[in-house]
Amino acid sequence: MTTTPPDPTPDQPGRRPTPDALTAVSFLLLAALAALLLWPLLMGGVAPSPYLIGGLLLARLGVQLLRARRDPRLRRPVSWALDLLIIALIFNVASRQPA
């Protein structure tokens, strides 16, 4: 006879589930974006290319779409539309900058 272990309660520290690979990739993309955007503010360097920022955001959106295919609870089309709008605005600003 097999029994299932009880669910961990706040009083009992249990083993936390580890994020899947796509979640880890999403977090890594967010960390890279944060580092790229904070570096010039903290160190006084040159701002990163808007194309690089837009590309990383586009890659993260792709990861979010892949995650939503696996888990229906992650389907948030309004959030995706907002992300696409922000990415389009970034690429629009980037295309208007002089070379």
Side-chain angles (χ1 to χ4, degrees):
M1 181 170 151
T2 61
T3 60
T4 59
D7 290 333
T9 61
D11 298 334
Q12 295 175 320
R15 187 168 175 219
R16 293 181 64 187
T18 58
D20 63 341
L22 288 175
T23 303
V25 169
S26 180
F27 285 143
L28 286 174
L29 287 171
L30 278 177
L33 278 166
L36 282 172
L37 293 173
L38 285 175
W39 183 260
L41 294 174
L42 298 175
M43 300 297 166
V46 179
S49 166
Y51 291 111
L52 178 61
I53 299 299
L56 286 173
L57 286 172
L58 199 58
R60 184 172 181 277
L61 179 61
V63 170
Q64 295 299 338
L65 291 172
L66 287 174
R67 287 180 64 211
R69 289 181 68 190
R70 290 185 178 181
D71 187 356
R73 296 175 299 158
L74 298 175
R75 292 188 181 149
R76 298 180 180 111
V78 174
S79 173
W80 301 335
L82 183 62
D83 287 348
L84 283 173
L85 179 64
I86 291 170
I87 293 166
L89 288 172
I90 289 172
F91 282 130
N92 183 18
V93 168
S95 68
R96 292 179 184 213
Q97 288 183 344

